[in-house]
Amino acid sequence: MKAKKKKRQDDFQKVKLKVGKKKPRADNATNTNFRTKGIHLPEQLKRDTSGPTTHRQLGINELLSQLHHYNANVKHSALLGLRELLSINPSLLEQHLSRLLSEVAAVFTDKDGNVRVAATRVLRFIAQSVPAERVAPFFPLLSAHLSCAMTHIEAGIQEDAMAVLDVFLEHYPALLAARPAVLLTNFLELISHRQNSGAAKKAQDAKSRMWTLSVNPDRAVSSQQWRLSVLLRLGRFLQAVVEERPVGESDMSALSERLFGSSGEGRIATLYLNWEELIYSKVGVRVYEHSGAKPTPHSTFKLRPEVDPGAAVTEGLDSAETVQSFAATLVPLLLEVWVEASTAHCPSNSTEGAHLLSPDAMSVMFQVLTVLQLLRKLAPQQEHQDALDAWFRKEYLGDFKQHFMKNFPYGTLDTPKPKKKADLKRSKQPAAILGLTVEPLALNITLCQVMVSLSQKQSQGRESDGDWVTPLRTFVRDTLGNTVKLSYRQLHMLLGTMWKMVLTQRSRTVTEDLLAAVYIYYKQRNLSLQTRSLLLSFYSKLYQQEQGHTHIARSKVLCRWLASLPLQLSQLGHRNPALSAQLISSIQAAAARGNKDLLNSLQMHACKLYDPQEGVVVLLPAESQQRMVQLLYFLPKMSQPLLANLSCCCTAGRISAGLAASLIRIVHLRSSLSGWTVGSQEAALQDVDYISFLFSTLIGFSSEDLDSLQEDDSTLPPSPLSPLSLYPTPLEQFTHHWDVVEEVCHCLEMLGSKSQCFDIVQNGICKYVTKLGVVPDSMAAGLLRAVSRLLDLSILPVEPVLRFLSQCCLSLLAMLVTLQQAAPADTNHKREAIWGACITALSSVPRLLRMLLQLLRVSDLNEEELPQLGQILSMLLQHTPLHNQLLANTALLQEIIQHLTRYSRGATREQWLTDLLYCYSVTVAHGSSAHRGGLRDMY
Amino acid sequence: MAAPLEVVLSSDSGSQLWNVSVFDPHSGSSLLSYRGGSSAARSLAVLRSGYLLSAQLGKNFINVWEIQRKDQLQQKIVCPGVVTCLTASHDGLFLAAGVAEAVYLWEVCTGKLLSVLSRHYQDVTCVKFTDDSSHFVSGGKDNLALVWSLSSVVHLDLSHAPEPRHILSRHSLPITDLHCGLMGAQARVATASLDQTVKVWELSSGELLLSILFDVEIMSVTFDPSEYFVFCGGSDGNIFQVSLCSQSLSREKAFQSDTDGNQVFKGHRNLVTCLSVSMDGTLLLSGSHDETARLWDVQSKQSVRCLTHKGPVTNAVIMAAPANMFLPDSRPAIPLPRFSRHLHASEGDGGESGEVCVRLGLNVQDEEETYLQKTHRLNSLMNAVTDKSVFGDGENTKVRVAELEEEVQTLKKVNKDLFDFSSQLLTKPT
């Protein structure tokens, strides 16, 4: 108990503190004798939070928030900062695009001019680096801000909105053109103002007067120039709308096609198949979309007129009515603009100087005309366009005549220089905006185009258009006839104008006049390819229109042009395949129509065109070659030199074997022997010429070639085993020749009587070939092939031919043996062809085998040739179809084999001899047993 | 012997004894032969009312027989030039002939020359009507095929030359043959040309659907009635068969059909100039310049029968046997008027142009009207049926499609199981 008490006292011992003694240290006291120092990393901290900054240490967030600042200077510098920041760190653009665009667009309507200019710059920078499809989601916002700026009450903001519009037009024309309705009204409001609606309600006819030109004296630029700049934008905008039409491509060639009145084709994807591919690659052919139960959507044929309720929502310019109503508002304004401009600059109104315009007036007029032209094109479809044209004519022809045609053609007014300079200085800003001067030529051409579109076919027109069309025609004729330098676009427009004139005027003299002018232009030397092909397509399209337009059909210029085509084609050579192809298609179109001038000229130049060395037919690429070959069909007469050329073309290997075959077939079709005749078409060539063509193609070598071969030393000299020395042709040539031979044989077979045909070939061989000592192997094989194919059982070949053929056959067999020894794999085809030709000839031509065996004189052979002969014989013996023929000549065969065994006795019996004897025994054993005795004797 | 359902009509340019001969396609026996002259290529036409027409080879007239009188010509229609091709509309109301560059169109019941269409630049090689006789197509040596709407040609305002509905101008050498498929204005047209292609067009829009390039010139072309195949007769005597709606073949199947003879009918030795398929699509008739016409079994591509002729075959057609061909006592329902040679005959006697043509013959009037109505009704009925069954109204189709898809799924699964099982079986022993 006591101990317990004591312990407890120990636990709670009282610490006695005494004066003068140091206080003992507490156990849980904190040691505070350390010092601290702060580390500052301000840059690092900043980078962590808000990314890169400008040189003023401002991040993108600050900059964007500064755009809401009340002070204009702050906003301006924030915009400058943004531009700097974005150009250094393009990655920021992707991260903050949405905010950037919305904030920047908000300052389009800022009160301060500098801010707006800076905002435009930033926008331009963004537009340059962001593609259209990524801006598309934000574009409604942007266009809302844009229209807000365009319709702003302050003139300055309106003016700067033009700059913003420029940026959009340059970079995002498609997006802008997608919703044109609002913008178009904005444009109208920029240059005019709507009269109060009460007045409009009063009468319906006052509708056209609803909008009147406005003049704002507060503007920095003259109202003239302001209108000009607005019109310029309007023109560009309409251009964008027209180009973004789904049907129209911006491609220039498509444009020309549309212009010259041919309908767009190929809305259904056509399947192009090749018979060989069809067989081997097994492409799945599916021609029918709905297996035929429904017509395709592109069909123009409709059983019932389709009614589509509720589709008439006038969003944009998709229907003809909206375009027309828009035009109804715009055209009077345009006329007014022009009238003001012309009167402002020609106050004197003197008659002699009225056609001279100052540069400003000229550009105003140019813009007015451009907009008019684009308005025409706005019509969504061709038929709408025609309706629109008619409407224009009805409404405005009088106005146009009065305002535009009075002083046509226009020229520049030569203002004195100093005045011009002053003028420039005074209006520096608009000049900078426009940045273009309008040539009088361009102006006049555009005017022509606008006016001609209003002219109508004379047969329908109630009043003649002669009074105002004549100056236009004179202008077009003079421009082209004087070979003024024209840009491609201008030429394009001029030709379009001319096209329309020729089709609507329907007068022969007029047409002749105009076409002659084009012809003069066409005959210039140094035209670019593009221009040349444009002119070509103009002519050929015009030619194709001739049906129903007798004035075109009878045009002398057109005939002269057609007649000049073959010459041009031959002169062009291989220099420009694209242009050549165009020429060929024009020629073909005219030839198919049987145009006399063209056919005569074609026939005149045929020899040159089909020259085997430098004719177009061998120089051009394959597709053009094919078309050239097809052109042959239309030739009224094929002369002998032409046929000689064609035969060379076939054999020379510069056109493919398939094409050569179709060439031969086309010649066949035009001969009187083809059998396919419809109506009264005369044969283009005589039978004699046709047959000699076939024969020389069969031979495959010209007489000069053969002559030079005779003197060539490189060929092997004739030996007893190969009585003719064969000239080894390269593999490619051999194959080519072989294919051609097949086709020729086919044509010869079709001639009718086989025996007569064989007679002719036999005569040919007799006359031209038998005297040769050196023969190309392809020719030898080809002849054997032809003879065996054409031979009829009833006829017997004459002796010299038979001898020649047997020589060929033997030489070929000998070559085959040597080839087999060399045995490169790539000659496989050649070997097979040669072997096949020899075998069929030997089995089908009677007495050929006998002659062959008689040729073999074993005694003349040397040591090396013996095994070769043995091989030939065993090959023949192994070929079963030949057995009967061999058995018929057993005596000869036996004699040869006895000789062979005798001459090769010297050495030990060799393998080849054993093989041969075995083959022989088997063959003969299968035959009659009567010969067995002789065989036993030999062993 | 019961009269056959279908007969083969053929003619050649060499025979002295007869002009057109009629065969039974199944037995190959010769049934009839019509005497007098010889026929030009593509110029055989049968009018429904019981006349057989064919253009004389190399002359400027058309021979006409009453179909039951084989010995004697009923009349000769004299034309302004050599007739290159001839065809009659399927309802027997119109007759079209190619004479040099022009197409002549007659109305059969009055014999009036309705129109002379000279849009071709060179000789017309073939003319064909669609099966509803609403359009016809002409092909010529100027590489063009023109589609004409009959109504626009007939509704003749003399000041306006009729314009073709479409100009098919993608061939580069003369057109040798053309064939109009079934289905009236929605038909497809096949054209064959010397440029070694066959092209298939849509009649309604004039668009090119298909172009097949061959190794040889194609001289004749035809569809089978269901338009599964195009048959193309080549200048080398082969007939090529192209399937128009082949499914993408599975690999195994492709291996089997790799032999190239599979799609070629081999047998003729010269130009194949005419082709025709029987109504059930099993028999193909071909006529050739090797003086034979052959009947082929389409399925196996074998030559079933060879009908020898005395000269190059100019026409060979399989057609439904006309009703009174084998009844020698019958008479044609409608007498054939004289065909006029000049376009302006109606102008000369102006009063006549406004007259209504009244047809003679018993009961013909009534029958004709009901026939028209019947075809209309039938047509609408058929359209309704196809529309219903193929496209139906929204929900039905959906349900049906779902069902079909399900079925396909199960089939695929079964097929896969089978494949797995068999592959297991095959791979196990190795």
Side-chain angles (χ1 to χ4, degrees), chain A residues 25 81 168 230-231 237 248 294 339 360 449 465 540 576 584 696 828 842 919 929:
Chain A
R25 238 182 125 74
F168 286 152
V230 170
L231 282 184
F237 174 68
K294 259 189 182 177
V339 169
D360 281 355
Q449 210 171 15
D465 299 331
S540 64
N576 196 332
I584 291 173
S696 34
N828 249 344
L842 285 175
C919 288
S929 54

mmCIF file of all heavy atoms in Angstrom, chain A residues 25 81 168 230-231 237 248 294 339 360 449 465 540 576 584 696 828 842 919 929:
data_model
loop_
_atom_site.group_PDB
_atom_site.id
_atom_site.type_symbol
_atom_site.label_atom_id
_atom_site.label_comp_id
_atom_site.label_asym_id
_atom_site.label_seq_id
_atom_site.Cartn_x
_atom_site.Cartn_y
_atom_site.Cartn_z
ATOM 1 N N ARG A 25 15.343 21.914 -19.612
ATOM 2 C CA ARG A 25 14.710 21.792 -20.950
ATOM 3 C C ARG A 25 13.552 20.807 -20.938
ATOM 4 O O ARG A 25 13.648 19.727 -20.362
ATOM 5 C CB ARG A 25 15.735 21.256 -21.929
ATOM 6 C CG ARG A 25 15.967 22.142 -23.081
ATOM 7 C CD ARG A 25 16.947 21.493 -23.989
ATOM 8 N NE ARG A 25 16.379 21.400 -25.305
ATOM 9 C CZ ARG A 25 16.276 22.485 -26.070
ATOM 10 N NH1 ARG A 25 16.673 23.651 -25.618
ATOM 11 N NH2 ARG A 25 15.754 22.353 -27.247
ATOM 12 N N GLY A 81 -1.451 41.161 -80.642
ATOM 13 C CA GLY A 81 -0.845 40.095 -79.848
ATOM 14 C C GLY A 81 -1.336 38.729 -80.298
ATOM 15 O O GLY A 81 -0.542 37.791 -80.405
ATOM 16 N N PHE A 168 -13.406 35.795 -96.837
ATOM 17 C CA PHE A 168 -14.247 34.609 -96.955
ATOM 18 C C PHE A 168 -14.326 34.125 -98.406
ATOM 19 O O PHE A 168 -14.293 32.932 -98.691
ATOM 20 C CB PHE A 168 -15.662 34.893 -96.440
ATOM 21 C CG PHE A 168 -15.729 34.984 -94.947
ATOM 22 C CD1 PHE A 168 -16.683 35.752 -94.318
ATOM 23 C CD2 PHE A 168 -14.828 34.283 -94.170
ATOM 24 C CE1 PHE A 168 -16.740 35.833 -92.940
ATOM 25 C CE2 PHE A 168 -14.871 34.358 -92.793
ATOM 26 C CZ PHE A 168 -15.827 35.140 -92.183
ATOM 27 N N VAL A 230 -18.826 47.313 -104.112
ATOM 28 C CA VAL A 230 -19.887 46.383 -103.724
ATOM 29 C C VAL A 230 -20.197 45.442 -104.886
ATOM 30 O O VAL A 230 -20.331 44.223 -104.711
ATOM 31 C CB VAL A 230 -21.160 47.144 -103.298
ATOM 32 C CG1 VAL A 230 -22.314 46.175 -103.138
ATOM 33 C CG2 VAL A 230 -20.917 47.884 -102.020
ATOM 34 N N LEU A 231 -20.266 46.006 -106.085
ATOM 35 C CA LEU A 231 -20.581 45.179 -107.248
ATOM 36 C C LEU A 231 -19.503 44.129 -107.478
ATOM 37 O O LEU A 231 -19.788 42.997 -107.854
ATOM 38 C CB LEU A 231 -20.708 46.054 -108.492
ATOM 39 C CG LEU A 231 -22.012 46.804 -108.631
ATOM 40 C CD1 LEU A 231 -22.036 47.553 -109.941
ATOM 41 C CD2 LEU A 231 -23.174 45.856 -108.553
ATOM 42 N N PHE A 237 -19.146 36.892 -105.382
ATOM 43 C CA PHE A 237 -20.006 36.023 -104.601
ATOM 44 C C PHE A 237 -20.888 35.164 -105.519
ATOM 45 O O PHE A 237 -21.005 33.950 -105.345
ATOM 46 C CB PHE A 237 -20.875 36.867 -103.667
ATOM 47 C CG PHE A 237 -21.900 36.084 -102.924
ATOM 48 C CD1 PHE A 237 -21.505 35.179 -101.953
ATOM 49 C CD2 PHE A 237 -23.237 36.235 -103.195
ATOM 50 C CE1 PHE A 237 -22.440 34.445 -101.273
ATOM 51 C CE2 PHE A 237 -24.173 35.505 -102.513
ATOM 52 C CZ PHE A 237 -23.776 34.607 -101.550
ATOM 53 N N GLY A 248 -22.338 21.778 -111.995
ATOM 54 C CA GLY A 248 -21.238 22.433 -112.667
ATOM 55 C C GLY A 248 -19.926 22.190 -111.958
ATOM 56 O O GLY A 248 -19.812 22.394 -110.767
ATOM 57 N N LYS A 294 -37.748 -0.660 -111.155
ATOM 58 C CA LYS A 294 -37.980 0.781 -111.122
ATOM 59 C C LYS A 294 -37.029 1.444 -112.090
ATOM 60 O O LYS A 294 -35.908 0.981 -112.242
ATOM 61 C CB LYS A 294 -37.643 1.316 -109.719
ATOM 62 C CG LYS A 294 -38.824 1.558 -108.836
ATOM 63 C CD LYS A 294 -38.331 2.268 -107.606
ATOM 64 C CE LYS A 294 -39.445 2.518 -106.632
ATOM 65 N NZ LYS A 294 -38.933 3.144 -105.420
ATOM 66 N N VAL A 339 -26.045 54.088 -115.474
ATOM 67 C CA VAL A 339 -26.462 55.370 -116.020
ATOM 68 C C VAL A 339 -25.794 56.512 -115.254
ATOM 69 O O VAL A 339 -25.242 57.444 -115.843
ATOM 70 C CB VAL A 339 -27.998 55.485 -115.960
ATOM 71 C CG1 VAL A 339 -28.414 56.907 -116.281
ATOM 72 C CG2 VAL A 339 -28.618 54.530 -116.937
ATOM 73 N N ASP A 360 -12.596 54.462 -114.544
ATOM 74 C CA ASP A 360 -13.569 54.174 -113.493
ATOM 75 C C ASP A 360 -14.890 53.697 -114.086
ATOM 76 O O ASP A 360 -15.438 52.663 -113.682
ATOM 77 C CB ASP A 360 -13.827 55.425 -112.643
ATOM 78 C CG ASP A 360 -12.710 55.628 -111.639
ATOM 79 O OD1 ASP A 360 -11.832 54.720 -111.606
ATOM 80 O OD2 ASP A 360 -12.712 56.632 -110.945
ATOM 81 N N GLN A 449 -21.229 38.964 -124.788
ATOM 82 C CA GLN A 449 -21.787 37.739 -124.242
ATOM 83 C C GLN A 449 -23.157 37.995 -123.622
ATOM 84 O O GLN A 449 -24.104 37.226 -123.832
ATOM 85 C CB GLN A 449 -20.833 37.182 -123.195
ATOM 86 C CG GLN A 449 -20.908 35.700 -123.122
ATOM 87 C CD GLN A 449 -19.822 35.130 -122.265
ATOM 88 O OE1 GLN A 449 -19.173 35.857 -121.511
ATOM 89 N NE2 GLN A 449 -19.614 33.857 -122.341
ATOM 90 N N ASP A 465 -33.646 40.912 -134.699
ATOM 91 C CA ASP A 465 -32.643 41.452 -133.789
ATOM 92 C C ASP A 465 -31.502 42.113 -134.534
ATOM 93 O O ASP A 465 -30.514 42.506 -133.939
ATOM 94 C CB ASP A 465 -32.065 40.327 -132.928
ATOM 95 C CG ASP A 465 -33.142 39.674 -132.090
ATOM 96 O OD1 ASP A 465 -34.106 40.374 -131.763
ATOM 97 O OD2 ASP A 465 -33.000 38.478 -131.780
ATOM 98 N N SER A 540 -15.372 21.164 -133.787
ATOM 99 C CA SER A 540 -15.942 19.828 -133.912
ATOM 100 C C SER A 540 -17.334 19.791 -133.305
ATOM 101 O O SER A 540 -18.227 19.128 -133.829
ATOM 102 C CB SER A 540 -15.029 18.785 -133.279
ATOM 103 O OG SER A 540 -14.919 19.006 -131.928
ATOM 104 N N ASN A 576 2.514 15.731 -129.853
ATOM 105 C CA ASN A 576 1.497 16.055 -128.848
ATOM 106 C C ASN A 576 0.346 15.056 -128.907
ATOM 107 O O ASN A 576 -0.640 15.271 -129.607
ATOM 108 C CB ASN A 576 0.981 17.466 -129.111
ATOM 109 C CG ASN A 576 0.246 18.003 -127.925
ATOM 110 O OD1 ASN A 576 -0.323 17.236 -127.160
ATOM 111 N ND2 ASN A 576 0.254 19.292 -127.773
ATOM 112 N N ILE A 584 -8.016 13.200 -134.035
ATOM 113 C CA ILE A 584 -8.521 11.925 -134.554
ATOM 114 C C ILE A 584 -10.007 11.800 -134.287
ATOM 115 O O ILE A 584 -10.770 11.359 -135.149
ATOM 116 C CB ILE A 584 -7.748 10.752 -133.918
ATOM 117 C CG1 ILE A 584 -6.321 10.737 -134.435
ATOM 118 C CG2 ILE A 584 -8.414 9.431 -134.261
ATOM 119 C CD1 ILE A 584 -5.444 9.737 -133.766
ATOM 120 N N SER A 696 1.514 -10.773 -148.338
ATOM 121 C CA SER A 696 2.736 -10.134 -147.823
ATOM 122 C C SER A 696 2.688 -10.048 -146.300
ATOM 123 O O SER A 696 3.734 -10.096 -145.650
ATOM 124 C CB SER A 696 2.953 -8.760 -148.447
ATOM 125 O OG SER A 696 1.763 -8.125 -148.687
ATOM 126 N N ASN A 828 10.039 -21.370 -124.736
ATOM 127 C CA ASN A 828 9.039 -22.427 -124.701
ATOM 128 C C ASN A 828 7.948 -22.242 -125.726
ATOM 129 O O ASN A 828 7.622 -23.149 -126.483
ATOM 130 C CB ASN A 828 8.399 -22.470 -123.313
ATOM 131 C CG ASN A 828 8.817 -23.722 -122.597
ATOM 132 O OD1 ASN A 828 9.316 -24.647 -123.240
ATOM 133 N ND2 ASN A 828 8.627 -23.756 -121.303
ATOM 134 N N LEU A 842 3.340 -31.903 -141.431
ATOM 135 C CA LEU A 842 3.780 -33.240 -141.825
ATOM 136 C C LEU A 842 2.618 -34.210 -141.879
ATOM 137 O O LEU A 842 2.558 -35.073 -142.752
ATOM 138 C CB LEU A 842 4.843 -33.748 -140.839
ATOM 139 C CG LEU A 842 6.224 -33.127 -140.995
ATOM 140 C CD1 LEU A 842 7.142 -33.621 -139.907
ATOM 141 C CD2 LEU A 842 6.797 -33.468 -142.371
ATOM 142 N N CYS A 919 12.455 -46.455 -130.002
ATOM 143 C CA CYS A 919 11.270 -45.796 -130.554
ATOM 144 C C CYS A 919 10.842 -46.460 -131.842
ATOM 145 O O CYS A 919 9.656 -46.721 -132.074
ATOM 146 C CB CYS A 919 11.554 -44.323 -130.844
ATOM 147 S SG CYS A 919 11.683 -43.338 -129.394
ATOM 148 N N SER A 929 3.280 -56.184 -138.834
ATOM 149 C CA SER A 929 4.335 -57.074 -138.351
ATOM 150 C C SER A 929 5.234 -57.542 -139.479
ATOM 151 O O SER A 929 6.203 -58.237 -139.255
ATOM 152 C CB SER A 929 3.692 -58.281 -137.652
ATOM 153 O OG SER A 929 2.769 -58.870 -138.554
#
